Amino acid sequence: MKVARKNVVLLGATGSIGANTLRVLRKHQNKLKLIAVTAHSNDQKLADICQEFKVPYATLTDSSAYKRAKAEGRFPSETQLFGGNDALIEISTLEEADIIVLGVVGACGLKPALAAIDMGKEIALANKELLVLGGSFVIDAAKRSGSRLLPTDSEHNAIFQCLEGHCNEDVEKLILTASGGQFRDAPIQKLDSVTPADATQHPNWSMGQKITVDSATMANKGLELFEAHWLFNLEPSRLEVVLHPQSIAHSFVQFVDGSILGQFTPPSMTFAIQHCLLYPHRSASVEPTLDFKQSMQWDFRAPDLARYPCLKLAYESLYTGGNALAIYNASNEIAVERFLNGSINYLDIPRIIDWCLSNDTNSVATSVEALIEIDALTRKLANAFKSSSV
Ligand code: NAD
Ligand code: MG
């Protein structure tokens, strides 16, 4: 069957999700066309991408990078270059855009994604903060416009694939797998002396710095529980996490009759990204998949919440609801930033999240603007935290 070529907008083209998306685009040029890309400050890398893919529109959100690129004429003449945060919205709402890959990190994706959703565009949802922060607003906007949210995070993509053809009443629970990160087997008493260099090495996945630290603390799984809650409309008691060090089983759905379905590939994001970009069609993968002629071992075990206080706090936040998810996310983001720049140590990350959550008044923001304000206030608070051990 001949399938229409999709026009793709890639937000965060210079990052890890961006690089994997480009690999899928290279493989499927007859099915996917890259029409717009963005980056924060890496102007040379973005210019190279525009050159290779002959991209008509590009945005640099960092204004000094934008000015530098303009002054030095770094971009090919066929690319129209924009600068600043608002340009993310312009690029995401281009009339000709069919699917927006949300590969930026942090809250900067919220407004552009909402604008694209309002126009009914498809969203390949890698960025976690969109649902963690925008939750009900994003889901309601997608319902109103008919925009399809395609979960790109590997766990949610796995669940999405397992759920196809089933209704919510048939689902007992979702089981998200987690590698457990690089300190999975380290003695707990050694965790306070972990350095940023140790925490940014992931045993299985090659990803951006922030998400790699989040994998070690399992704040990443916490954010993914929030995402699953919004995407699949299930209460916290039906969301489970299991450690699976090999990162091959990307998640499971357990049905009411006791059957459990899972989805499996080697640990590379190209599989999930391609599934979203070509959805609902399938085509040959960028990389070889699992080969059962080679023997392999898959392990599963329950996470120890004493080792992963960020996961415990995530469950508590889910049960609290309201603003807690936004506070969890913002305080974690600042805590990771502070850990990476050496102003706090590793175990201060959950301490900061806990401290910010305990300042919550249990209110519920009734607009996106109010949420953005809570996000900003939490960041201030998290920055004010004084570490007793550094
Ligand atoms: P990354 O740090 O490698 O890349 C981030 C991208 O966002 C870059 O292109 C950067 O230029 C851009 N960016 C950074 N700050 C920005 C700002 N203030 N304004 C506009 N653009 C900005 O991150 P990543 O690992 O690719 O992750 C991107 C998102 O996808 C995150 O939300 C992450 O949690 C999620 N995710 C990543 C992976 C993965 O394998 N890397 C897997 C699942 C989900
Ligand atoms: Mg994930």
Side-chain angles (χ1 to χ4, degrees):
M1 186 177 54
K2 179 116 176 72
V3 177
R5 203 173 178 207
K6 276 190 198 175
N7 285 334
V8 179
V9 172
L10 174 54
L11 305 192
T14 54
S16 159
I17 289 289
N20 282 311
T21 304
L22 295 174
R23 293 173 71 195
V24 174
L25 291 166
R26 263 183 214 110
K27 168 103 186 168
H28 296 293
Q29 293 186 28
N30 56 339
K31 299 187 174 76
L32 302 166
K33 176 162 173 44
L34 187 58
I35 61 159
V37 286
T38 82
H40 188 54
S41 55
N42 195 339
D43 51 334
Q44 190 56 58
K45 193 165 175 187
L46 194 69
D48 292 344
I49 294 168
C50 289
Q51 186 78 46
E52 180 189 346
F53 288 88
K54 310 216 171 332
V55 186
Y57 304 101
T59 288
L60 282 162
T61 40
D62 180 67
S63 53
S64 50
Y66 169 70
K67 283 182 199 142
R68 180 177 61 228
K70 271 282 198 203
E72 294 175 10
R74 291 216 170 148
F75 280 69
S77 56
E78 67 261 30
T79 303
Q80 217 178 317
L81 183 65
F82 302 92
N85 272 329
D86 286 348
L88 284 184
I89 300 179
E90 273 175 59
I91 288 242
S92 309
T93 53
L94 285 167
E95 204 53 52
E96 60 269 46
D98 297 311
I99 182 163
I100 318 296
V101 179
L102 207 59
V104 284
V105 65
C108 64
L110 182 61
K111 284 190 174 169
L114 278 171
I117 290 171
D118 281 341
M119 289 180 75
K121 298 194 185 293
E122 277 189 332
I123 310 287
L125 194 55
N127 171 283
K128 293 177 205 275
E129 295 80 1
L130 177 71
L131 280 177
V132 171
L133 194 58
S136 61
F137 301 103
V138 173
I139 298 296
D140 289 349
K143 274 191 196 140
R144 270 196 311 271
S145 70
S147 158
R148 193 188 259 155
L149 301 179
L150 294 159
T152 312
D153 207 346
S154 55
E155 295 75 2
H156 308 81
N157 183 265
I159 292 167
F160 180 69
Q161 295 198 42
C162 296
L163 281 175
E164 283 220 277
H166 300 281
C167 53
N168 247 22
E169 299 85 79
D170 291 345
V171 175
E172 179 78 29
K173 60 183 169 185
L174 308 181
I175 305 159
L176 279 74
T177 54
S179 72
Q182 46 279 58
F183 310 127
R184 182 176 59 222
D185 300 312
I188 291 194
Q189 62 278 14
K190 291 254 167 81
L191 290 182
D192 225 22
S193 54
V194 155
T195 66
D198 301 328
T200 46
Q201 303 290 326
H202 196 280
N204 307 343
W205 297 93
S206 159
M207 309 184 286
Q209 274 205 332
K210 195 255 174 188
I211 185 173
T212 305
V213 178
D214 284 350
S215 293
T217 62
M218 277 184 83
N220 182 50
K221 213 47 56 180
L223 298 175
E224 290 180 355
L225 285 171
F226 301 169
E227 273 188 281
H229 164 70
W230 288 117
L231 276 170
F232 306 113
N233 191 23
L234 287 178
E235 63 270 30
S237 60
R238 289 163 75 194
L239 302 172
E240 208 170 282
V241 172
V242 64
L243 286 197
H244 167 49
Q246 291 85 3
S247 302
I248 287 171
H250 298 301
S251 279
F252 302 102
V253 176
Q254 181 173 323
F255 292 93
V256 287
D257 61 1
S259 285
I260 299 176
L261 295 189
Q263 185 260 357
F264 320 101
T265 68
S268 163
M269 288 304 293
T270 58
F271 294 95
I273 293 170
Q274 173 167 320
H275 177 258
C276 294
L277 285 177
L278 299 184
Y279 188 85
H281 305 283
R282 295 199 185 246
S283 211
S285 58
V286 172
E287 301 163 79
T289 192
L290 302 170
D291 177 4
F292 286 96
K293 289 192 279 307
Q294 315 283 324
S295 54
M296 54 183 113
Q297 192 181 338
W298 298 3
D299 301 300
F300 299 96
R301 62 180 195 241
D304 168 9
L305 293 183
R307 178 181 293 277
Y308 299 111
C310 290
L311 184 61
K312 182 166 176 278
L313 289 164
Y315 268 112
E316 288 168 10
S317 303
L318 256 186
Y319 278 103
T320 307
N323 297 337
L325 310 193
I327 294 171
Y328 181 97
N329 176 56
S331 55
N332 176 58
E333 234 175 275
I334 296 299
V336 172
E337 205 176 286
R338 291 188 60 189
F339 166 66
L340 290 174
N341 71 27
S343 76
I344 60 167
N345 71 29
Y346 183 74
L347 288 182
D348 285 327
I349 298 174
R351 288 185 196 118
I352 290 187
I353 300 174
D354 198 11
W355 191 59
C356 291
L357 283 169
S358 61
N359 271 278
D360 186 14
T361 53
N362 288 330
S363 56
V364 182
T366 52
S367 68
V368 173
E369 285 66 33
L371 269 176
I372 290 175
E373 204 177 311
I374 286 161
D375 177 269
L377 286 172
T378 306
R379 283 164 199 271
K380 259 195 201 151
L381 192 63
N383 267 315
F385 176 90
K386 297 237 179 318
S387 172
S388 54
S389 40
V390 171

